Amino acid sequence: MTVTPQDQRPAGRQQPPGDDTPPGDAPPTSPFILYLRDEEYAEELELLSNWVRLLLVPIYAREASSTAPWCGRWWQHPEAVAQLHGLWLAWQELTGPDAGLCGPANWHRDYLEPVLNSLRSPAGPFAGCKAGAHRAKDVPHTDPY
């Protein structure tokens, strides 16, 4: 199955979290997954998962190791979801029919490598995960202001 940019976007978007603006006066919303809630988030995550599983990993994921970990349950790492979603949004914009001839090269240079290096860093969100073994990361403590 080929995942194309036209197949990617669900129609509706909700307001950013914490925004109490009445719906009729709602500011433009972001397509970024961290702003979505409930059903919209689940739909977007399913589309993202298809792209990761059918395109990103088969073509770009190199073998996992202790110096380049990967988690098969990446969707359980909020940072990974956020970074992969941003990578996918950029892919849609830079590889679609209106992207121009340099779009794919720019995506590889400006987005793919930095995101994969960040995700697969030994200190990244998959630190401690091994093939077939997801390990949740503890979130650092933050004192209230």
Side-chain angles (χ1 to χ4, degrees):
M1 173 184 179
T2 302
V3 182
T4 62
Q6 308 80 279
D7 300 331
Q8 307 301 315
R9 306 258 40 95
R13 298 284 177 226
Q14 291 186 359
Q15 294 172 214
D19 187 345
D20 295 329
T21 307
D25 299 329
T29 58
S30 171
F32 189 47
I33 197 165
L34 296 183
Y35 288 108
L36 306 180
R37 295 289 173 254
D38 305 323
E39 187 176 315
E40 286 183 325
Y41 180 91
E43 289 172 5
E44 191 77 351
L45 187 59
E46 184 175 348
L47 292 170
L48 174 61
S49 177
N50 287 337
W51 180 78
V52 169
R53 184 175 51 86
L54 298 172
L55 187 132
L56 184 71
V57 168
I59 295 173
Y60 297 106
R62 298 173 185 145
E63 188 172 1
S65 68
S66 60
T67 58
W70 177 260
C71 185
R73 302 177 108 191
W74 57 266
W75 60 88
Q76 292 183 336
H77 298 272
E79 178 185 352
V81 170
Q83 288 200 47
L84 288 168
H85 192 257
L87 183 63
W88 179 49
L89 292 174
W91 178 80
Q92 291 175 77
E93 183 171 311
L94 293 172
T95 65
D98 298 328
L101 298 177
C102 292
N106 292 340
W107 181 79
H108 284 95
R109 181 194 65 210
D110 297 337
Y111 300 94
L112 177 66
E113 285 300 317
V115 168
L116 288 183
N117 288 339
S118 174
L119 289 176
R120 301 196 67 189
S121 162
F126 303 143
C129 294
K130 296 177 180 22
H134 165 74
R135 183 180 75 85
K137 289 181 70 174
D138 292 329
V139 176
H141 173 77
T142 303
D143 292 326
Y145 175 72

